[in-house]
Amino acid sequence: MNNMAPYDLMESVRNTNEWLGATASAMGSYPAFALSMNPFLTLAQAWGKVTERSFARMVAKPGWGIRSIVGSDGTDHLVDIRTVVEKPFGNLIHFSVRRRDPMPRRVLLVAPMSGHYATLCRSTVASLLPDCEVYVTDWINARDIPVSAGKFDVEDYTLYLVEFMKALGPDINVVAVCQPAPLTLAATAYLAAEDPKAQPRTLTLIGGPIDPDATPSDVTDFGHRINMGQLEQMAIQQVGFKYKGAGRAVYPGLLQLSSFMSMNAERHSKAFTDQILAVANGTASDHDAHNRFYDEYLAVMDMTAEFYLSTVERIFKNGEIANNDFFVEGRRVDIGAITDVAVITVEGEKDDISSPGQCVAAHRLLTGLPDSKKAQHLEPGAGHYGIFAGKSWRTNIRPLVLKFIDANAPKPKVALVPAADVS
């Protein structure tokens, strides 16, 4: 119960700032003040609008906002989001396109569970929809999951992925973005040993820490500097009484956000200052570049304490995936058991989250996979976000991934026509 106080304190600070922003915005727009030429009132109103919006976004799950796509026939096709598999800690959802025949390319996008919602991959999904049947892992905010649902750690996460892959069948192509890359690799190896017929056709690993020590970064250095007791004391809190998950131990989204912001504090400070001035000058809009980015970036979710701590300890500190020494329910998962799944790794040259070298390390673990089924790509000049949702993804990486999927699709069988029937 002691850790509920800091959780509720953070929520109180957030709520207060949202209220202060709303108050400043309302006061700045008070009709009587329109007679004043004092620029402070305009700036106060602009500050209030930006502040209210920013702090409100921190506790709201963004919508997918993908309502339709343009089909090959040139007409709009509405998109429905349907739940395929429903689980306590995350669902498997399908972006079903109306009035369209099922696409031959079927893609499972494994979204990160590292502080943001799966909607962080919105642009990735939108770019794949015209050419693929798209399925996504939609993780649930831990604050909204009752304690009675039990624990959720890296082994549970891996088994969720195994279940999702089984539900979709062996013709699925899996694309894992960032955090889930090592556990998606483990889930594929688990299937290779336990149920080979359920393995995916291809596996694309994008900017993930398969071997965090391959090229150390600020993230990996932090993981090695701090011991698990310190980390638990510093990062773990219990959900307050406001939410369904009251009492659940979590790594709070607001605490994660403060870490995200501090990594590039100067850049974020300038972005918000520029936005306040833009609002004051009347040049900002509801869906401008700033709001499109920060509406998603500021929307954070809590992770279960056991998932966060086991990720740090087992993936980063002990390097269980990197050393091919990962266990699920007491059984060792041998990455070398993968012999049929084509695997491609994608890295960004300027990725400061998963530095180049961390993801491509997967290939040395795939000892049972022939080189003809392995591929790798290093995107010049690309940062972490760009390799799955930015310009680099749209112009270079997406076409490369689709080409890799097609290259490893089963060749269509040509019907043999009897010679007597040929005219």
Side-chain angles (χ1 to χ4, degrees):
M1 291 293 189
N2 291 336
N3 282 334
M4 283 186 177
Y7 189 96
D8 280 339
L9 177 61
M10 286 194 304
E11 171 59 17
S12 297
V13 171
R14 185 210 63 78
N15 198 292
T16 300
N17 278 282
E18 182 183 353
W19 174 80
L20 286 172
T23 302
S25 178
M27 289 186 65
S29 60
Y30 192 68
F33 292 154
L35 298 174
S36 172
M37 301 298 292
N38 190 339
F40 173 77
L41 291 171
T42 303
L43 284 172
Q45 182 184 16
W47 174 87
K49 285 184 176 180
V50 174
T51 301
E52 180 188 11
R53 183 183 186 119
S54 299
F55 281 93
R57 292 299 185 271
M58 294 177 187
V59 290
K61 180 180 180 179
W64 282 97
I66 303 175
R67 296 177 177 84
S68 65
I69 64 168
V70 178
S72 58
D73 57 357
T75 64
D76 283 350
H77 293 253
L78 295 178
V79 178
D80 298 318
I81 300 177
R82 298 175 177 170
T83 300
V84 179
V85 179
E86 188 172 358
K87 303 282 286 180
F89 292 89
N91 301 323
L92 175 63
I93 60 176
H94 176 215
F95 287 80
S96 176
V97 181
R98 297 186 193 178
R99 298 186 300 106
R100 185 180 78 172
D101 293 333
M103 302 294 286
R105 296 191 194 101
R106 301 175 69 239
V107 172
L108 167 59
L109 181 65
V110 184
M113 190 168 75
S114 54
H116 287 100
Y117 291 94
T119 51
L120 187 69
C121 297
R122 180 188 297 105
S123 60
T124 317
V125 173
S127 70
L128 290 171
L129 266 180
D131 303 297
C132 310
E133 290 294 331
V134 181
Y135 301 82
V136 179
T137 57
D138 190 21
W139 306 111
I140 298 173
N141 195 329
R143 75 179 184 207
D144 299 320
I145 305 171
V147 175
S148 59
K151 70 172 183 65
F152 187 77
D153 60 12
V154 290
E155 293 188 24
D156 298 306
Y157 186 106
T158 304
L159 292 174
Y160 266 47
L161 296 184
V162 167
E163 183 174 346
F164 292 161
M165 290 182 198
K166 283 184 176 181
L168 295 176
D171 62 338
I172 197 70
N173 301 280
V174 179
V175 179
V177 175
C178 187
Q179 167 269 320
L183 297 179
T184 305
L185 182 65
T188 305
Y190 183 96
L191 281 173
E194 301 294 328
D195 191 359
K197 292 183 179 179
Q199 294 178 91
R201 181 179 295 158
T202 67
L203 179 59
T204 302
L205 306 175
I206 301 179
I210 304 296
D211 183 1
D213 291 331
T215 48
S217 63
D218 290 342
V219 176
T220 57
D221 288 345
F222 172 78
H224 287 301
R225 283 198 313 268
I226 193 168
N227 64 51
M228 295 307 299
Q230 291 173 322
L231 186 63
E232 183 172 2
Q233 184 68 28
M234 180 178 66
I236 303 305
Q237 298 174 8
Q238 287 178 292
V239 177
F241 291 106
K242 180 179 177 180
Y243 299 104
K244 292 181 181 178
R248 177 178 289 280
V250 297
Y251 178 29
L254 293 178
L255 196 58
Q256 297 171 66
L257 181 61
S258 64
S259 298
F260 297 153
M261 300 290 280
S262 65
M263 290 177 67
N264 295 285
E266 186 176 347
R267 186 179 69 185
H268 292 303
S269 177
K270 184 179 185 304
F272 279 97
T273 300
D274 291 345
Q275 182 68 1
I276 291 169
L277 293 175
V279 172
N281 292 329
T283 57
S285 66
D286 194 50
H287 298 289
D288 57 23
H290 176 94
N291 285 331
R292 287 200 308 273
F293 175 77
Y294 280 102
D295 281 356
E296 192 69 53
Y297 188 80
L298 296 175
V300 287
M301 58 182 287
D302 299 347
M303 283 189 282
T304 65
E306 56 272 16
F307 177 78
Y308 175 67
L309 295 174
S310 60
T311 297
V312 173
E313 182 174 25
R314 300 182 63 176
I315 306 301
F316 285 87
K317 280 185 170 293
N318 299 341
E320 292 184 15
I321 299 291
N323 297 322
N324 200 17
D325 195 31
F326 186 65
F327 283 75
V328 173
E329 294 185 329
R331 288 176 289 183
R332 179 172 173 267
V333 178
D334 181 16
I335 309 298
I338 300 174
T339 58
D340 298 321
V341 182
V343 179
I344 181 173
T345 58
V346 177
E347 298 179 316
E349 182 185 25
K350 295 185 177 180
D351 190 338
D352 57 353
I353 303 297
S354 289
S355 305
Q358 293 186 14
C359 193
V360 75
H363 293 297
R364 68 171 174 78
L365 300 172
L366 295 164
T367 54
L369 193 66
D371 290 341
S372 60
K373 285 186 170 290
K374 299 178 185 178
Q376 61 187 71
H377 175 72
L378 177 65
E379 181 67 14
H384 187 69
Y385 188 79
I387 56 177
F388 70 89
K391 180 180 178 181
S392 294
W393 164 260
R394 295 191 300 271
T395 59
N396 297 327
I397 298 171
R398 174 188 167 277
L400 178 72
V401 170
L402 294 182
K403 183 178 179 180
F404 181 78
I405 289 173
D406 291 343
N408 289 280
K411 300 296 184 288
K413 296 180 179 179
V414 179
L416 298 178
V417 181
D421 293 340
V422 178
S423 58

